[in-house]
Amino acid sequence: MFTEYDPEAGALTRELRDHFDAFVAGEWDAARLKAHQTRRLRQVVTYVRAKSPFYRERLADLTDDEVSALGIDDLRILPFTTKEDLRKAQLDILSLPVSQAWIFYETTGTTGVATPCPRTNSDSIHNNSVLTAYYRDVLARYGHHQVIGVSGPTELHATGDTFGDVCRNLGHGVAKMWPHSPLVGFDRALELMRSLPLTGLFCTPGMAMSLAQKAVAAGFDPKRDFSLDILMLTGELMSPSLLRNIGQVWGAEARNCLYASQEASVLAAATADGALRTAPLINHYEVIEPEGTEPVAPDADGVRCGELVVTNLYTGAKPLIRYRTGDLVRMTDPDPEATVPAPALEAVGRVRDRLRLNGRLVDGYDLEDLLLRRFRGCLDYQITVDQDALGTDILSLTLQAGPEGDHSDALEDAVEDCRRELDTPLTVTSGSPGPITSTGAMVSWKAARVVDLRAESSIENTSAERIAAARAR
């Protein structure tokens, strides 16, 4: 409704709706997209140089002539922006004062100083237009008038507002519920899920498993006693094996629905063909060497593997230039069958979340996918890394069984998979890892899911333990 009181926002909404409809329909060729990205890049660089104290200093050596001639292929003349830059700059990174934003968000601050992430109408409209266009067909297969729950980490996070607005755009009812809130709690959340009933749920994988654990403890069967058709999961590492496991627990489709951050907003979203696809109308993407600065070349399969760097192509409260996300990704150009003609993206974990096992560097995504490959219907899991007397790295997987119970038939295959692919011994035990595994979205996958007995405790470990202790009370 606010757009009726803000004609500029209303006009932008209509313009972006038309652009995304045409883009999804395949009406943007490569030349049109490159021209759009080039024009928007020049506008954004001009904008931040004029309005952001941080970028005014960072880009001081860039001349007006260089900006006016700047092309997408010239991005390497611009410096990177890092998470540490955001922590140090604080409000100086902004291109507008908070008073000109419509809402204030910030990062959780669990592993460092929280950074401000206010959003203007322009920020929200650009990002929510992507999700509305991409999610339309994903959700439509389950009906056009659903009741969808949204569970996010904190009140200062964009989750509730973003998904609530997108569901409203698509004609779905929304229930915002925060099970970790003392005024809601898991019992009330489960009651709402059953009574409304919820047909969809936006949450983290950890929350989906926590809700299932609480449901089973209360005597419910997640498949039989709830009406979920689809789980739209985000905020944590998600391998295909984990998604299949969560889907089986709830008897619903489990989708990786979003790759985003508070700092850089929407970077990729679920599409009807099952892929997570980038949003090239509002962002430009680079994939670089994780320990360096050079772009990576596609491998033999056309996949670029490395750290994601993103440049926002819209003006608002805090557009970022060449932002090093710290996340490892695999990016693949779209094939003719893609439902949205944008590269597919797999987020395979943070650079610092990789593990070295018997001389081999392993991404969290691949490790999780391998260890859970043979198991279904688990309510939780945790990985322990240790060494034997000979100095060989060894793994232990703790699984919390669901209503379907025993996984003994899969043990031998799981152990053989690990030996063959990682040359690492594996043991599998039953048990409950406890509340620490629910902290992944707040801290990191590694702190939540991995107990590495070979390494000293880190700030991430300490933060995860603190949050878990509070949740256990």
Side-chain angles (χ1 to χ4, degrees):
M1 186 173 68
F2 82 90
T3 55
E4 293 300 317
Y5 294 88
D6 188 335
E8 184 177 343
L12 177 60
T13 301
R14 290 187 292 273
E15 176 187 354
L16 287 172
R17 177 200 61 198
D18 293 344
H19 280 177
F20 276 101
D21 284 350
F23 178 73
V24 169
E27 297 173 10
W28 283 54
D29 60 16
R32 181 180 179 184
L33 179 59
K34 186 173 184 178
H36 166 83
Q37 289 190 325
T38 299
R39 181 175 64 255
R40 296 301 292 153
L41 174 64
R42 293 171 183 172
Q43 291 172 354
V44 168
V45 172
T46 299
Y47 179 81
V48 298
R49 288 174 75 224
K51 294 180 175 292
S52 164
F54 171 82
Y55 280 118
R56 185 180 302 119
E57 179 179 351
R58 179 62 62 91
L59 302 177
D61 293 337
L62 200 63
T63 68
D64 291 342
D65 287 343
E66 286 174 321
V67 173
S68 64
L70 192 64
I72 290 299
D73 298 330
D74 304 321
L75 274 171
R76 292 175 65 187
I77 72 170
L78 304 177
F80 293 112
T81 304
T82 67
K83 288 181 183 290
E84 190 57 29
D85 288 332
L86 303 187
R87 293 189 180 110
K88 290 180 178 178
Q90 291 293 307
L91 294 173
D92 281 349
I93 200 79
L94 305 184
S95 292
L96 290 174
V98 175
S99 61
Q100 293 187 34
W102 83 269
I103 196 164
F104 178 83
Y105 304 124
E106 66 179 17
T107 57
T108 58
T110 51
T111 58
V113 178
T115 61
C117 304
R119 294 188 185 169
T120 64
N121 289 332
S122 176
D123 292 315
S124 293
I125 292 169
H126 275 88
N127 285 278
N128 294 357
S129 293
V130 177
L131 301 184
T132 301
Y134 286 18
Y135 288 171
R136 180 182 290 115
D137 291 340
V138 174
L139 296 175
R141 62 185 296 185
Y142 298 109
H144 293 285
H145 297 287
Q146 302 174 53
V147 181
I148 296 179
V150 179
S151 293
T154 74
E155 292 80 357
L156 285 172
H157 200 277
T159 298
D161 295 320
T162 297
F163 291 137
D165 191 47
V166 170
C167 286
R168 179 168 56 178
N169 291 344
L170 295 173
H172 304 302
V174 170
K176 296 181 184 178
M177 56 183 200
W178 319 108
H180 286 299
S181 164
L183 295 179
V184 178
F186 279 87
D187 290 342
R188 178 58 177 157
L190 291 170
E191 182 182 347
L192 284 172
M193 290 176 67
R194 294 184 69 225
S195 62
L196 291 177
L198 293 188
T199 56
L201 179 64
F202 284 93
C203 67
T204 65
M207 177 57 72
M209 288 191 283
S210 293
L211 285 165
Q213 292 169 35
K214 298 292 185 180
V216 170
F220 298 118
D221 183 326
K223 285 183 180 180
R224 184 189 65 238
D225 296 318
F226 294 83
S227 301
L228 288 180
D229 293 318
I230 186 168
L231 290 142
M232 299 284 277
L233 304 175
T234 185
E236 296 174 27
L237 190 73
M238 262 175 288
S239 67
S241 292
L242 181 65
L243 288 171
R244 287 193 295 268
N245 179 78
I246 292 174
Q248 182 158 332
V249 167
W250 287 99
E253 180 185 7
R255 294 288 301 266
N256 184 346
C257 75
L258 178 67
Y259 170 61
S261 70
Q262 282 280 75
E263 302 96 334
S265 296
V266 172
L267 302 179
T271 54
D273 58 13
L276 201 65
R277 297 196 177 276
T278 61
L281 297 195
I282 68 167
N283 299 305
H284 181 268
Y285 304 84
E286 302 171 75
V287 182
I288 68 168
E289 299 169 347
E291 308 299 337
T293 62
E294 295 299 309
V296 298
D299 63 17
D301 297 319
V303 181
R304 287 178 287 160
C305 305
E307 181 182 354
L308 184 68
V309 174
V310 64
T311 298
N312 299 135
L313 299 179
Y314 53 93
T315 55
K318 192 181 71 174
L320 299 177
I321 306 295
R322 300 198 79 199
Y323 177 57
R324 292 190 73 143
T325 63
D327 293 336
L328 294 169
V329 300
R330 296 175 185 143
M331 190 178 294
T332 310
D333 287 339
D335 59 40
E337 304 303 315
T339 54
V340 173
L345 183 144
E346 288 181 304
V348 298
R350 297 180 183 178
V351 173
R352 65 175 181 268
D353 281 356
R354 293 178 293 180
L355 288 167
R356 189 169 292 280
L357 298 172
N358 295 315
R360 184 176 306 187
L361 197 59
V362 184
D363 299 320
Y365 180 94
D366 293 327
L367 182 60
E368 178 185 86
D369 195 41
L370 171 65
L371 297 187
L372 297 184
R373 181 186 299 166
R374 301 290 181 173
F375 303 105
R376 294 292 178 272
C378 304
L379 298 180
D380 209 355
Y381 83 93
Q382 189 173 55
I383 301 164
T384 300
V385 189
D386 203 353
Q387 286 185 336
D388 64 16
L390 298 176
T392 300
D393 294 324
I394 56 177
L395 292 174
S396 175
L397 175 65
T398 300
L399 295 176
Q400 183 174 349
E404 297 174 2
D406 187 38
H407 296 103
S408 57
D409 290 347
L411 294 181
E412 185 175 336
D413 287 336
V415 170
E416 175 58 22
D417 288 344
C418 194
R419 185 205 61 77
R420 183 181 63 254
E421 298 192 24
L422 296 181
D423 193 25
T424 299
L426 171 69
T427 58
V428 183
T429 59
S430 296
S432 173
I436 197 166
T437 56
S438 72
T439 67
M442 301 288 288
V443 186
S444 74
W445 171 84
K446 189 175 183 180
R449 294 289 177 186
V450 178
V451 179
D452 192 343
L453 299 176
R454 307 166 305 171
E456 295 181 359
S457 183
S458 66
I459 185 173
E460 286 85 3
N461 297 131
T462 303
S463 297
E465 290 164 3
R466 174 175 51 79
I467 295 169
R471 289 178 172 177
R473 293 191 191 115

